[in-house]
Every structure is written in C-alpha cells, then in structure tokens.
C-alpha cells in the first residue's frame, strides 16, 4: 500500500469553509447547551442500569476505536511499515462517531452545558469542540488542495478531544463510582 499524498497547497483558503463551519458547530452546540433548559431525564439507556453507565461505556468504546483510528491513519500515511486496509480506518471512525451520538444527545438534552464544576465544564467544552473539529475534518477530507498537515492536525485534535472527553467522563465514572453496567 502506498502512502497518501495530497497535492501541493494553494494556501489555507481551501480550509476556510470547513474551519468556519466547524467553528459554527462548536458555537451552536455551546449556545444550545447553555440556552436549552435541561430536562434532567435520561434518554435511551437500553441495556444499561442508567444514563451514567451508558455514557461511560459508549464513550469507552469510542475511546478504544480512536486508538484504532490513530494506528490505521499512521498506516495509511506510510508511517508504520505495515498495511492496514483503509476500510479499517473508515469503519472504526464511523462506529466511534455513532457511539458518541447517544452520549452527546443525552448530555445536551438532559444536562446542557454546565460550568459550575471544573471537570464538568472541561467536559462540556471538549464535547462541543470534538463535534466542531470532527465536522471540519469531514468537510476537509474530500478537498485535495488543503495543506498536507490538514488531516493529521484535525484528526489529532479530534483524538485529543475524545481522550479528554473520556478522561473527564468515563475514567472519572469508573474511578469515582465504580465499574457498572
């Protein structure tokens, strides 16, 4: 398998729309999270004892798949010396994203953006940032005139945000409450 190489950049102009839309996603989620009156009711906890275990386990699944994303991306870019099929990267990313949807929906619908506890504030902001940077990455992906660093940087930021989300939610839950299903 050969490494992926993008054409030489015509500048940062091709990133303007993806970054602008990603920024709007961050802002929209933050504004909605603050303006919406949280219901306090858990939604969609099928198979779990409650909302917190559901969120902890789904986020943990996305967290594990984020590492698959990093390894498969390194392989696609020719950095590992082994060939991992690009489909592994695509499908692990899709599945990781799908695992985050019920978690984000519950967070926004039932809890809103909270700022009274530093861990929860960091978690709320990271959640907004994750979806914004993910949006920017997906919109930049088909563009062939972006700088070579575009996908690694946006992917790295999405990975970092997801790790931060896991640390401020699942890791906290498993260490403070215990491992529950």
């Amino acid at each position: 398998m050969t490494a992926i190489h993008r054409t030489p950049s015509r500048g940062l102009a091709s990133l303007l729309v993806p970054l602008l839309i990603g920024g709007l996603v961050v802002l929209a989620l933050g504004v909605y999270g603050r303006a919406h009156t949280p219901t306090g009711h858990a939604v969609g906890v099928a198979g779990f004892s409650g909302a917190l275990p559901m969120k902890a386990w789904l986020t943990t699944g996305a967290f594990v798949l984020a590492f698959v994303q990093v390894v498969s991306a390194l392989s696609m870019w020719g950095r590992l010396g082994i060939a991992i099929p690009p489909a592994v990267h695509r499908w692990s990313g899709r599945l990781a994203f799908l695992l985050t949807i019920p978690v984000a929906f519950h967070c926004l619908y039932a809890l809103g953006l909270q700022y009274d506890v530093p861990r929860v504030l960091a978690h709320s902001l990271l959640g907004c940032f994750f979806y914004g940077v993910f949006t920017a990455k997906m919109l930049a992906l088909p563009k062939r005139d972006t700088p070579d660093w575009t996908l690694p940087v946006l992917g790295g930021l999405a990975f970092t945000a997801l790790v931060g989300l896991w640390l401020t939610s699942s890791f906290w839950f498993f260490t403070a409450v215990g491992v529950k299903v």
Side-chain angles (χ1 to χ4, degrees), residues 44-125:
V45 296
F48 294 95
S49 61
L52 286 178
M54 175 208 58
K55 291 169 35 176
W57 284 108
L58 292 179
T59 303
T60 298
F63 174 73
V64 169
L65 289 167
F67 283 94
V68 174
Q69 284 280 283
V70 170
V71 171
S72 59
L74 288 170
S75 173
M76 288 187 334
W77 288 84
R79 301 285 193 245
L80 290 183
I82 60 169
I84 297 175
V88 170
H89 187 76
R90 286 190 299 272
W91 282 101
S92 62
R94 289 171 182 155
L95 185 54
F97 180 77
L98 286 175
L99 289 175
T100 69
I101 297 296
V103 175
F105 179 76
H106 178 271
C107 288
L108 281 171
Y109 179 76
L111 306 173
L113 192 143
Q114 298 181 14
Y115 56 87
D116 49 345
V117 176
R119 177 192 60 80
V120 178
L121 172 62
H123 183 74
S124 294
L125 296 175

Side-chain angles (χ1 to χ4, degrees), residues 18 22 25-26 69 90 92-98 100-101 127-141 154-155 157-159 161-162:
V25 167
V26 172
Q69 284 280 283
R90 286 190 299 272
S92 62
R94 289 171 182 155
L95 185 54
F97 180 77
L98 286 175
T100 69
I101 297 296
C128 295
F129 179 74
F130 170 77
Y131 282 100
V133 76
F134 179 83
T135 299
K137 181 184 178 217
M138 291 300 103
L139 292 174
L141 188 59
L154 293 177
L157 288 171
F159 174 79
L162 192 53

